[in-house]
Protein backbone atom coordinates (compact mmCIF):
# COMPACT_ATOMS: atom_id res chain seq x y z
CA UNK A 1 0.00 0.00 0.00
CA UNK A 2 1.00 3.61 -0.41
CA UNK A 3 2.13 5.96 2.33
CA UNK A 4 -1.15 7.88 2.17
CA UNK A 5 -2.94 4.83 3.53
CA UNK A 6 -0.50 4.50 6.41
CA UNK A 7 -0.35 8.05 7.74
CA UNK A 8 -2.99 10.43 8.97
CA UNK A 9 -3.96 12.97 6.36
CA UNK A 10 -6.74 14.68 8.30
CA UNK A 11 -5.40 18.06 7.27
CA UNK A 12 -5.25 17.14 3.60
CA UNK A 13 -1.54 17.96 3.53
CA UNK A 14 0.58 15.96 1.03
CA UNK A 15 3.14 13.54 2.42
CA UNK A 16 5.91 15.78 1.08
CA UNK A 17 4.82 18.36 3.67
CA UNK A 18 4.84 16.01 6.61
CA UNK A 19 8.02 17.44 8.15
CA UNK A 20 6.74 21.00 8.15
CA UNK A 21 5.16 22.78 11.11
CA UNK A 22 1.54 22.13 11.97
CA UNK A 23 -0.18 25.38 11.04
CA UNK A 24 -0.65 27.84 13.87
CA UNK A 25 1.64 26.09 16.36
CA UNK A 26 4.64 27.73 17.99
CA UNK A 27 7.63 25.43 17.62
CA UNK A 28 9.16 24.67 21.04
CA UNK A 29 11.39 21.93 22.36
CA UNK A 30 8.87 19.33 23.59
CA UNK A 31 11.05 18.45 26.58
CA UNK A 32 11.30 22.07 27.70
CA UNK A 33 7.61 22.63 27.00
CA UNK A 34 6.61 19.83 29.37
CA UNK A 35 9.28 20.60 31.98
CA UNK A 36 7.91 24.13 32.25
CA UNK A 37 4.63 22.66 33.48
CA UNK A 38 6.11 21.06 36.61
CA UNK A 39 4.46 22.44 39.72
CA UNK A 40 1.05 23.09 38.17
CA UNK A 41 -2.01 21.62 39.95
CA UNK A 42 -2.25 17.87 39.42
CA UNK A 43 -5.64 16.20 39.29
CA UNK A 44 -4.15 12.84 40.18
CA UNK A 45 -2.64 14.29 43.34
CA UNK A 46 -6.01 15.68 44.37
CA UNK A 47 -7.63 12.32 43.73
CA UNK A 48 -5.06 10.57 45.93
CA UNK A 49 -6.26 12.69 48.83
CA UNK A 50 -9.78 11.44 48.11
CA UNK A 51 -8.57 7.84 48.36
CA UNK A 52 -8.76 6.90 44.65
CA UNK A 53 -5.22 5.78 43.83
CA UNK A 54 -3.78 4.09 40.73
CA UNK A 55 -3.16 0.37 41.16
CA UNK A 56 -0.29 -1.89 40.10
CA UNK A 57 2.05 -0.54 37.41
CA UNK A 58 -0.27 2.41 36.86
CA UNK A 59 0.84 3.84 40.20
CA UNK A 60 4.29 4.72 38.83
CA UNK A 61 3.03 5.75 35.40
CA UNK A 62 0.44 8.13 36.90
CA UNK A 63 2.61 9.31 39.80
CA UNK A 64 2.05 13.10 40.04
CA UNK A 65 5.76 13.63 40.77
CA UNK A 66 6.56 12.96 37.10
CA UNK A 67 5.15 15.29 34.46
CA UNK A 68 6.87 13.46 31.57
CA UNK A 69 6.89 9.64 31.52
CA UNK A 70 8.20 7.22 28.89
CA UNK A 71 6.57 3.79 29.10
CA UNK A 72 8.80 1.20 27.44
CA UNK A 73 6.54 -1.44 25.87
CA UNK A 74 8.83 -4.27 24.63
CA UNK A 75 7.47 -4.98 21.16
CA UNK A 76 9.00 -5.21 17.71
CA UNK A 77 7.94 -5.65 14.11
CA UNK A 78 4.92 -3.34 14.26
CA UNK A 79 4.17 -0.65 11.69
CA UNK A 80 1.06 1.54 11.89
CA UNK A 81 -0.82 -0.74 14.31
CA UNK A 82 0.49 -2.14 17.60
CA UNK A 83 -1.85 -4.16 19.78
CA UNK A 84 0.32 -4.05 22.96
CA UNK A 85 0.60 -0.25 22.86
CA UNK A 86 -3.09 0.10 22.07
CA UNK A 87 -3.97 -1.97 25.14
CA UNK A 88 -1.61 -0.01 27.36
CA UNK A 89 -2.90 3.36 26.09
CA UNK A 90 -6.52 2.34 26.68
CA UNK A 91 -5.70 0.83 30.08
CA UNK A 92 -3.80 3.93 31.27
CA UNK A 93 -6.64 6.23 30.24
CA UNK A 94 -9.22 3.94 31.86
CA UNK A 95 -7.22 3.80 35.11
CA UNK A 96 -6.77 7.59 35.22
CA UNK A 97 -10.51 7.99 34.73
CA UNK A 98 -11.16 5.43 37.48
CA UNK A 99 -9.03 7.53 39.79
CA UNK A 100 -11.20 10.55 39.13
CA UNK A 101 -9.56 12.44 36.28
CA UNK A 102 -12.47 13.83 34.21
CA UNK A 103 -12.67 12.01 30.91
CA UNK A 104 -12.75 15.28 28.99
CA UNK A 105 -9.33 16.02 30.53
CA UNK A 106 -7.78 12.84 29.08
CA UNK A 107 -6.44 12.57 25.55
CA UNK A 108 -4.72 9.83 23.52
CA UNK A 109 -2.60 10.65 20.46
CA UNK A 110 -0.96 8.44 17.84
CA UNK A 111 0.59 9.30 14.44
CA UNK A 112 -1.51 6.58 12.80
CA UNK A 113 -5.23 6.38 12.19
CA UNK A 114 -5.19 2.57 12.46
CA UNK A 115 -3.77 2.80 15.98
CA UNK A 116 -6.28 5.48 16.98
CA UNK A 117 -9.12 3.31 15.69
CA UNK A 118 -7.90 0.30 17.66
CA UNK A 119 -7.55 2.31 20.89
CA UNK A 120 -11.06 3.73 20.45
CA UNK A 121 -12.35 0.18 19.99
CA UNK A 122 -10.63 -0.97 23.19
CA UNK A 123 -12.04 1.98 25.13
CA UNK A 124 -15.50 0.85 24.11
CA UNK A 125 -18.50 2.92 25.20
CA UNK A 126 -16.62 5.07 27.74
CA UNK A 127 -18.07 8.44 26.82
CA UNK A 128 -15.51 11.23 26.71
CA UNK A 129 -12.46 8.99 26.20
CA UNK A 130 -11.07 8.93 22.69
CA UNK A 131 -7.94 8.77 20.55
CA UNK A 132 -6.92 10.98 17.63
CA UNK A 133 -3.96 12.09 15.55
CA UNK A 134 -1.81 15.11 16.35
CA UNK A 135 -3.61 17.32 13.86
CA UNK A 136 -6.97 16.78 15.51
CA UNK A 137 -5.59 18.01 18.85
CA UNK A 138 -4.25 21.25 17.43
CA UNK A 139 -5.32 24.14 19.65
CA UNK A 140 -6.66 21.82 22.37
CA UNK A 141 -5.27 20.85 25.77
CA UNK A 142 -5.90 18.04 28.25
CA UNK A 143 -4.68 17.48 31.80
CA UNK A 144 -3.22 14.10 30.82
CA UNK A 145 -2.05 13.13 27.32
CA UNK A 146 -1.01 9.61 26.31
CA UNK A 147 1.09 9.36 23.12
CA UNK A 148 1.39 5.99 21.37
CA UNK A 149 4.42 5.98 19.03
CA UNK A 150 3.21 2.59 17.67
CA UNK A 151 5.99 1.66 15.23
CA UNK A 152 8.82 -0.79 15.92
CA UNK A 153 9.64 -2.34 12.53
CA UNK A 154 13.20 -1.09 11.80
CA UNK A 155 12.95 -0.35 8.07
CA UNK A 156 9.50 1.17 8.47
CA UNK A 157 10.65 3.45 11.31
CA UNK A 158 13.77 4.48 9.38
CA UNK A 159 11.70 5.34 6.31
CA UNK A 160 9.24 7.41 8.33
CA UNK A 161 11.84 9.00 10.62
CA UNK A 162 11.20 12.57 9.33
CA UNK A 163 7.52 12.08 10.21
CA UNK A 164 7.76 10.08 13.45
CA UNK A 165 10.53 12.18 14.98
CA UNK A 166 9.52 15.60 13.67
CA UNK A 167 10.13 17.87 16.70
CA UNK A 168 7.24 20.14 15.66
CA UNK A 169 4.80 17.26 15.91
CA UNK A 170 6.46 16.17 19.13
CA UNK A 171 5.88 19.63 20.54
CA UNK A 172 2.24 19.60 19.51
CA UNK A 173 1.69 16.15 21.06
CA UNK A 174 3.52 16.67 24.37
CA UNK A 175 2.47 20.27 24.90
CA UNK A 176 -1.21 19.30 24.74
CA UNK A 177 -0.76 18.04 28.32
CA UNK A 178 -1.33 20.58 31.08
CA UNK A 179 -0.22 18.21 33.86
CA UNK A 180 1.26 14.98 32.53
CA UNK A 181 2.47 13.58 29.20
CA UNK A 182 2.89 9.80 28.91
CA UNK A 183 4.75 8.52 25.82
CA UNK A 184 4.40 4.83 24.92
CA UNK A 185 6.91 3.12 22.68
CA UNK A 186 9.46 0.37 22.21
CA UNK A 187 12.52 2.28 23.39
CA UNK A 188 15.05 -0.17 21.94
CA UNK A 189 13.32 -0.48 18.57
CA UNK A 190 12.67 3.24 18.14
CA UNK A 191 16.17 4.41 19.04
CA UNK A 192 17.93 1.64 17.11
CA UNK A 193 15.86 1.97 13.96
CA UNK A 194 15.89 5.75 13.96
CA UNK A 195 19.63 5.80 14.58
CA UNK A 196 20.14 4.03 11.27
CA UNK A 197 18.08 6.71 9.53
CA UNK A 198 20.57 9.51 10.15
CA UNK A 199 23.89 7.73 9.71
CA UNK A 200 24.40 9.14 6.23
CA UNK A 201 22.59 12.45 6.75
CA UNK A 202 23.49 13.96 10.15
CA UNK A 203 22.08 17.36 9.15
CA UNK A 204 18.75 16.02 7.92
CA UNK A 205 15.35 16.79 9.42
CA UNK A 206 15.23 13.17 10.58
CA UNK A 207 18.54 13.52 12.43
CA UNK A 208 17.51 16.75 14.12
CA UNK A 209 14.18 15.28 15.11
CA UNK A 210 15.86 12.15 16.38
CA UNK A 211 18.12 14.24 18.64
CA UNK A 212 15.05 15.85 20.22
CA UNK A 213 13.32 12.47 20.58
CA UNK A 214 16.37 10.96 22.27
CA UNK A 215 16.44 13.86 24.68
CA UNK A 216 12.75 13.39 25.41
CA UNK A 217 13.24 9.67 26.12
CA UNK A 218 16.29 10.25 28.32
CA UNK A 219 14.71 13.17 30.20
CA UNK A 220 11.44 11.39 30.90
CA UNK A 221 10.82 9.21 33.92
CA UNK A 222 11.21 5.70 32.47
CA UNK A 223 8.81 2.89 33.30
CA UNK A 224 9.33 -0.59 31.85
CA UNK A 225 6.19 -2.69 31.52
CA UNK A 226 5.27 -6.18 30.27
CA UNK A 227 3.76 -6.62 26.85
CA UNK A 228 0.21 -6.87 28.19
CA UNK A 229 -1.28 -4.55 30.83
CA UNK A 230 -3.29 -5.83 33.77
CA UNK A 231 -7.03 -5.66 33.42
CA UNK A 232 -8.29 -2.14 33.98
CA UNK A 233 -11.85 -2.45 32.83
CA UNK A 234 -10.85 -2.41 29.16
CA UNK A 235 -12.98 -4.56 26.87
CA UNK A 236 -10.16 -6.50 25.20
CA UNK A 237 -10.95 -8.16 21.88
CA UNK A 238 -7.80 -9.88 20.67
CA UNK A 239 -6.24 -9.19 17.30
CA UNK A 240 -3.69 -11.95 16.54
CA UNK A 241 -0.19 -10.55 16.21
CA UNK A 242 0.86 -10.24 12.59
CA UNK A 243 -2.68 -9.93 11.31
CA UNK A 244 -3.18 -6.50 9.72
CA UNK A 245 -5.78 -4.28 11.32
CA UNK A 246 -7.75 -1.40 9.79
CA UNK A 247 -5.39 0.74 7.74
CA UNK A 248 -2.38 -1.56 8.31
CA UNK A 249 -0.18 -2.32 5.32
Amino acid sequence: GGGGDELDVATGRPLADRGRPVAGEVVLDPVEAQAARVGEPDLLHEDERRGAVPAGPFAEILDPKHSLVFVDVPHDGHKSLCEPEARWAAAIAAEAARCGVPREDLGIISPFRAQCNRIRHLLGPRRGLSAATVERYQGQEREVIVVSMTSSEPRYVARLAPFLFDPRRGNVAVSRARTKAIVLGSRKALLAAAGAADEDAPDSDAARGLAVFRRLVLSAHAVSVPLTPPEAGVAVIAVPDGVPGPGEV
Side-chain angles (χ1 to χ4, degrees):
D5 293 329
E6 299 164 346
L7 308 178
D8 181 75
V9 288
T11 60
R13 289 149 53 91
L15 291 181
D17 291 346
R18 66 190 179 197
R20 298 177 186 172
V22 178
E25 293 289 348
V26 178
V27 178
L28 302 172
D29 184 307
V31 179
E32 293 179 358
Q34 187 59 23
R37 296 168 183 269
V38 175
E40 292 187 6
D42 196 306
L43 294 183
L44 292 170
H45 186 66
E46 294 172 3
D47 292 325
E48 280 191 356
R49 292 199 298 269
R50 293 200 299 268
V53 296
F58 303 110
E60 186 175 4
I61 294 171
L62 296 172
D63 190 329
K65 292 185 296 187
H66 309 298
S67 64
L68 180 61
V69 176
F70 186 88
V71 179
D72 184 12
V73 184
H75 61 83
D76 57 60
H78 293 275
K79 294 182 179 181
S80 61
L81 177 66
C82 175
E83 181 72 6
E85 274 192 38
R87 292 192 185 196
W88 270 107
I92 290 168
E95 181 70 0
R98 186 190 71 82
C99 291
V101 178
R103 293 175 181 181
E104 62 271 17
D105 277 326
L106 291 163
I108 304 175
I109 296 175
S110 174
F112 304 99
R113 288 179 295 179
Q115 185 74 350
C116 292
N117 290 340
R118 181 58 182 156
I119 294 170
R120 283 196 293 266
H121 183 74
L122 289 170
L123 289 170
R126 292 176 174 84
R127 183 172 298 178
L129 289 179
S130 189
T133 54
V134 171
E135 288 83 357
R136 296 184 189 276
Y137 273 93
Q138 184 180 348
Q140 302 182 44
E141 287 190 336
R142 298 289 190 275
E143 289 296 334
V144 179
I145 285 286
V146 179
V147 181
S148 173
M149 295 297 293
T150 308
S151 302
S152 59
E153 200 286 317
R155 286 177 295 180
Y156 188 81
V157 174
R159 180 164 64 88
L160 296 185
F163 173 80
L164 288 174
F165 303 108
D166 176 17
R168 304 168 187 87
R169 288 175 178 270
N171 167 62
V172 173
V174 173
S175 65
R176 298 309 89 187
R178 287 193 292 263
T179 297
K180 179 185 286 289
I182 301 166
V183 181
L184 304 177
S186 172
R187 184 179 188 275
K188 179 180 178 180
L190 285 172
L191 293 182
D198 68 343
E199 287 180 352
D200 298 325
D203 296 323
S204 66
D205 287 343
R208 287 189 290 269
L210 175 59
V212 173
F213 179 76
R214 280 178 173 153
R215 182 163 174 248
L216 185 151
V217 172
L218 296 175
S219 300
H221 177 72
V223 180
S224 296
V225 297
L227 203 59
T228 303
E231 292 295 330
V234 177
V236 174
I237 301 174
V239 172
D241 197 29
V243 177
E248 179 74 346
V249 177

